[in-house]
Amino acid sequence: MSAILMTIVIILVIAAFFIGIYNNLVRLRQSVAESWSAIDTELRRRYDLIPNLVETVKGYATHEKGTFESVIAARNAAASSQGSPEAQAKSENVLNGALRQLFALSENYPELKASENFKQLQNDLNETENRLSQARRFYNANVRELNTVVESFPSSMVAGAGGFKSAQYFEIDDNAARSPVAVKF
């Protein structure tokens, strides 16, 4: 009788162990999804600010049409990107480059640099860039934690059986794009 009881206890302990691993994987997957949502929220805020910034600059630099079009095209491409973090990072690289060109225009237009509306938009964009940077760090920390559990033994067995996969980091390829958009007055 005690051998049967001991076997049942061992089976229950092993089952509880694997259930714990599975539940931890679910929690980590949800944390990654939640942190990606935070990035998406900040990106949407950024995308909403860009048309206002372009319109403000247009009022002072009307003959810079090519720059405006490239910023809006890059913004639209980034805003419509629904793919992986890697795909999103590529579209963000293009957008960062276009925004740098837009801000470089302000150096040629002293009236634009003095505009309160332009200054406020720059401040809002700078704040959004900082919040986006924090959201990226949070996301990548969650990805690191999930990937560690997915790839570690014995949780890798539960991850494989449960269909859990490693997540992609949100990395920026362009070294110049690694820094937030420069906001100069």
Side-chain angles (χ1 to χ4, degrees):
M1 180 79 144
S2 68
I4 294 173
L5 185 59
M6 187 69 121
T7 304
I8 291 172
V9 168
I10 290 172
I11 290 171
L12 288 175
V13 167
I14 291 172
F17 177 71
F18 283 106
I19 289 170
I21 290 173
Y22 183 85
N23 288 340
N24 187 42
L25 285 163
V26 169
R27 181 189 59 79
L28 292 171
R29 182 174 57 191
Q30 292 304 316
S31 293
V32 168
E34 175 192 10
S35 55
W36 181 254
S37 177
I39 288 175
D40 191 49
T41 298
E42 292 307 318
L43 289 174
R44 295 288 162 216
R45 184 173 190 264
R46 181 185 196 205
Y47 302 150
D48 290 345
L49 286 170
I50 290 171
N52 294 331
L53 185 63
V54 168
E55 288 304 314
T56 300
V57 174
K58 271 185 183 179
Y60 292 91
T62 55
H63 64 281
E64 304 287 352
K65 186 177 180 181
T67 301
F68 303 138
E69 289 173 352
S70 69
V71 170
I72 293 300
R75 178 249 181 225
N76 290 342
S80 65
S81 178
Q82 300 295 322
S84 66
E86 182 181 21
Q88 187 70 49
K90 286 180 182 180
S91 61
E92 289 301 313
N93 288 338
V94 174
L95 179 57
N96 284 341
L99 284 172
R100 271 197 235 39
Q101 290 176 348
L102 184 69
F103 283 116
L105 283 178
S106 69
E107 296 300 319
N108 298 329
Y109 299 94
E111 307 86 26
L112 173 61
K113 285 174 61 173
S115 165
E116 287 302 317
N117 192 25
F118 184 67
K119 286 180 185 179
Q120 183 59 48
L121 287 168
Q122 282 182 313
N123 286 336
D124 290 347
L125 188 57
N126 192 36
E127 178 185 330
T128 300
E129 292 293 332
N130 289 334
R131 289 167 44 177
L132 185 54
S133 176
Q134 291 169 351
R136 285 177 181 147
R137 282 193 302 273
F138 181 60
Y139 171 79
N140 284 338
N142 284 328
V143 167
R144 180 188 66 239
E145 189 175 350
L146 173 66
N147 290 352
T148 300
V149 173
V150 165
E151 295 172 14
S152 298
F153 183 81
S155 57
S156 60
M157 294 185 323
V158 176
F164 293 91
K165 296 183 172 137
S166 294
Q168 290 182 322
Y169 288 99
F170 188 61
E171 299 175 316
I172 298 177
D173 298 329
D174 180 13
N175 286 335
R178 289 188 187 277
S179 59
V181 175
V183 178
K184 298 178 184 176
F185 296 101

